[in-house]
C-alpha cells in the first residue's frame, strides 16, 4: 500500500468530495496511510479533525513560510500543545524557507528556528519546505541541531551533490509527481543516488500532480505513477518500491 507522506486534504480543493475521495482510496486498498501537513494555524485544526475522523490519516502541525501572518507567540504555543497532546500528530511541518513566495527572509528564518525548537522539545521529526533556499535551510538545520529529531526534505529540489549533507543531518528525501515530468533530470539523479531506506513518496496534493494527470487536482493513489518511476530507476518491482517507501515512512514517523 501507498504511504502518502505529504498531502493537504484539509484545503478547499477537496470541499466537494473530501470524505468520498478519502474513503474510496483507502477502501480500494491502494492508499494505506496519509500524513496531512498543516500550513498554518487554521490548517492545524482542520488536520486534527481529519486525524480524528480517519484512522489512516496522521498529521503534521506547523506554520508554512508563506503564512508569516500566523507567526505569533500564541500560535506557536498552540502548535506545541496540539502536537504534544494528540497521538495522531507525528511531525512538525510543514516548516522551512520559501525564497520565491515567502515574505521577509529574516522573519521566515526566525519562524523556522522556533519551529525546529518545538520539534526538538517534543522529539518529533520535521517536514521541511525548502524552495530556492538550500544554503540557508542547511545552515539553520545544522545550527539548530535538527539531526536530533530528523525529518524529511519534502519535494526535494536540491542536487544529488548536496544529498550527502542532507542525509548526514538524518533527513529523508521526499519525491512526488515531479519525478514523472519529462524535464525532471535532477530529481531522477537524486533517486539514483539516495539509499533505498531514505526515500519517501508524497503527493503534495492538491498540487504537483504526476503525469498523465498533470494539471489536474492531485490524489494519493496517483503516487503509483511515481512508484513506477522509482521502480524503473532502482530496477525493482513497483510493489517492492511501494513496500520500501511505506516502511520508510512508518520508521521516520514512528507509526
Ligand atoms: Ni506541501
Amino acid at each position: 500500500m501507498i504511504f502518502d507522506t505529504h498531502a493537504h486534504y484539509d484545503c478547499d480543493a477537496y470541499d466537494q468530495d473530501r470524505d468520498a475521495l478519502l474513503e474510496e482510496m483507502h477502501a480500494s486498498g491502494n492508499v494505506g496511510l496519509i500524513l496531512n501537513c498543516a500550513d498554518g494555524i487554521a490548517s492545524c485544526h482542520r488536520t486534527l479533525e481529519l486525524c480524528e475522523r480517519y484512522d489512516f490519516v496522521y498529521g503534521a502541525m506547523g506554520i508554512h513560510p508563506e503564512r508569516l501572518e500566523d507567526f505569533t507567540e500564541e500560535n506557536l504555543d498552540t502548535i506545541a500543545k496540539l502536537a504534544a497532546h494528540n497521538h495522531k500528530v507525528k511531525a512538525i511541518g510543514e516548516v522551512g524557507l520559501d525564497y520565491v513566495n515567502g515574505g521577509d527572509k529574516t522573519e521566515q528564518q526566525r519562524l523556522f528556528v522556533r519551529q525546529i525548537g518545538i520539534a526538538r522539545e517534543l522529539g518529533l521529526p520535521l517536514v521541511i519546505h525548502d524552495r530556492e533556499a538550500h544554503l540557508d535551510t542547511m545552515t539553520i538545520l545544522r545550527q539548530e541541531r535538527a539531526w536530533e529529531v530528523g525529518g524529511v526534505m519534502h519535494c526535494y529540489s536540491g542536487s544529488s551533490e548536496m544529498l550527502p549533507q542532507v542525509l548526514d543531518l538524518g533527513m529523508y528525501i521526499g519525491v512526488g509527481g515531479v519525478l514523472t515530468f519529462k524535464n525532471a533530470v535532477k530529481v531522477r539523479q537524486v533517486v539514483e543516488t539516495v539509499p533505498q531506506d531514505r526515500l519517501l513518496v508524497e503527493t503534495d496534493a492538491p498540487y504537483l500532480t504526476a503525469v498523465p494527470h498533470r494539471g489536474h487536482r492531485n490524489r494519493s493513489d496517483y503516487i503509483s505513477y511515481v512508484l513506477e518511476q522509482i521502480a524503473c530507476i532502482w530496477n525493482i518491482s513497483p510493489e517492492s518500491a511501494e513496500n520500501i517507501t511505506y516502511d520508510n515512512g512508518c520508521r521516520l514517523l514512528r507509526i
Side-chain angles (χ1 to χ4, degrees), residues 28-231:
S28 68
N30 292 326
V31 178
L33 294 170
I34 294 170
L35 184 72
N36 201 78
C37 298
D39 71 357
I41 202 73
S43 174
C44 285
H45 293 289
R46 293 194 302 264
T47 296
L48 287 177
E49 280 169 30
L50 285 174
C51 290
E52 265 161 43
R53 201 173 168 100
Y54 298 104
D55 58 358
F56 59 93
V57 176
Y58 290 85
M61 301 284 106
I63 301 170
H64 192 284
E66 282 181 56
R67 281 209 191 271
L68 283 181
E69 70 273 17
D70 277 6
F71 182 11
T72 64
E73 291 305 315
E74 194 190 343
N75 284 344
L76 290 178
D77 254 18
T78 302
I79 286 172
K81 282 195 187 107
L82 292 175
H85 298 300
N86 192 311
H87 72 286
K88 296 292 290 289
V89 174
K90 296 297 184 186
I92 295 298
E94 70 178 280
V95 300
L97 303 174
D98 192 316
Y99 288 175
V100 180
N101 293 324
D104 181 80
K105 288 183 183 177
T106 313
E107 279 297 285
Q108 287 192 46
Q109 292 163 7
R110 281 187 52 227
L111 175 61
F112 189 26
V113 166
R114 293 293 302 277
Q115 295 189 103
I116 296 172
I118 294 173
R120 288 184 50 208
E121 206 174 287
L122 301 176
L124 289 173
L126 292 153
V127 177
I128 297 159
H129 175 102
D130 160 17
R131 189 151 180 223
E132 303 289 329
H134 302 326
L135 205 64
D136 289 350
T137 300
M138 293 300 290
T139 304
I140 290 175
L141 287 174
R142 256 185 228 113
Q143 278 172 359
E144 301 305 313
R145 308 170 67 86
W147 66 84
E148 290 181 5
V149 288
V152 52
M153 302 294 275
H154 128 74
C155 192
Y156 182 73
S157 59
S159 62
S160 49
E161 288 79 36
M162 185 178 120
L163 192 61
Q165 300 173 42
V166 178
L167 296 169
D168 273 352
L169 279 169
M171 295 294 152
Y172 286 62
I173 302 297
V175 297
V178 174
L179 187 63
T180 66
F181 299 174
K182 257 207 183 99
N183 57 357
V185 182
K186 226 164 68 169
V187 65
R188 218 163 280 144
Q189 284 170 349
V190 166
V191 174
E192 278 167 22
T193 318
V194 70
Q196 291 191 359
D197 62 359
R198 290 291 194 93
L199 190 71
L200 304 182
V201 286
E202 60 171 55
T203 51
D204 205 15
Y207 315 107
L208 297 176
T209 310
V211 174
H213 301 289
R214 192 174 180 180
H216 296 108
R217 186 183 70 167
N218 209 349
R219 46 187 282 173
S220 300
D221 46 3
Y222 289 171
I223 284 180
S224 57
Y225 303 108
V226 179
L227 288 166
E228 274 171 27
Q229 296 293 324
I230 295 170

